[in-house]
Amino acid sequence: MSEEMIPEEAEGKPPEEMFSAETVPEPEMEVEQGPAVEGMQPPEVPIQPATTWPAKDVTDNDRLMAALAYATQVIVPIIVPAVMLLAEESKKRPFQKFHAIQSLGFLAAAVVYEILAAIVFTILTVVSAGCLGCILWVLFFVPVVPAFYYAYQAYKGLYFKIPFLTDFMVKNKWLEIPAE
């Protein structure tokens, strides 16, 4: 190294001290920014509703029917949501209509789950010579918990999104999310 390039503080110091963290300056990072245009607003992003939001103008009857749409899927599936969608008075109520359609989607997802659970139950019971069958029967009751939870949420007068299912139904135009 030539003498011009060695800083005056480094003269006479051993090489390991010349380049310690204290003497080496940190490189400055340049941040590129696009050209600023006065009055330019950032693009508007459509606001997605939260996972739950309260419904407006909901009667006690609306809340009860929406809760029954989910709760009866465990006992007598399809009947209450079908009646809600066919009855003239219920068809006009957006809260009831939303929950009737969403509960039918939930029922379809629960049926697919039950078929997969039956396959898993059968395979694991056969492989384990029946031992796991004593435990795995619980798999068939898994959809009951969210059904009653959704019934409770509907009874509280809330709209809500079922993970993955509601977005799938909206994307396929089977369900319309009401305004918050």
Side-chain angles (χ1 to χ4, degrees):
M1 232 200 253
S2 69
E3 300 229 3
E4 299 169 6
M5 299 182 86
I6 298 176
E8 293 161 2
E9 306 112 30
E11 286 183 27
K13 290 185 179 178
E16 57 272 355
E17 288 183 19
M18 286 175 40
F19 297 107
S20 69
E22 296 171 359
T23 59
V24 177
E26 298 224 4
E28 292 183 23
M29 296 184 65
E30 294 182 22
V31 178
E32 285 189 38
Q33 294 182 1
V37 178
E38 288 185 30
M40 187 173 169
Q41 298 289 331
E44 290 188 24
V45 178
I47 297 172
Q48 294 292 326
T51 55
T52 62
W53 63 100
K56 298 174 186 170
D57 300 328
V58 177
T59 65
D60 288 342
N61 187 37
D62 290 340
R63 294 179 342 168
L64 178 64
M65 292 302 290
L68 286 174
Y70 295 101
T72 60
Q73 297 297 4
V74 175
I75 303 164
V76 283
I78 300 177
I79 294 175
V80 172
V83 168
M84 288 170 60
L85 292 173
L86 295 173
E88 288 299 320
E89 187 177 323
S90 296
K91 244 193 290 191
K92 296 175 186 173
R93 305 293 300 171
F95 188 74
Q96 287 186 25
K97 184 177 178 182
F98 174 84
H99 286 294
I101 294 170
Q102 186 166 269
S103 71
L104 289 173
F106 176 74
L107 175 65
V111 167
V112 169
Y113 170 81
E114 292 291 340
I115 291 169
L116 294 174
I119 293 169
V120 168
F121 177 81
T122 304
I123 291 171
L124 291 177
T125 301
V126 169
V127 168
S128 70
C131 294
L132 286 177
C134 297
I135 300 168
L136 291 178
W137 60 269
V138 175
L139 288 175
F140 296 107
F141 291 101
V142 169
V144 173
V145 175
F148 286 125
Y149 174 73
Y150 296 143
Y152 173 71
Q153 293 286 29
Y155 190 73
K156 286 187 350 184
L158 297 174
Y159 285 110
F160 54 86
K161 286 180 152 185
I162 296 175
F164 306 109
L165 179 68
T166 304
D167 292 333
F168 176 77
M169 293 176 73
V170 168
K171 190 170 93 178
N172 288 304
K173 296 183 170 71
W174 297 335
L175 181 65
E176 188 176 311
I177 296 204
E180 289 186 31

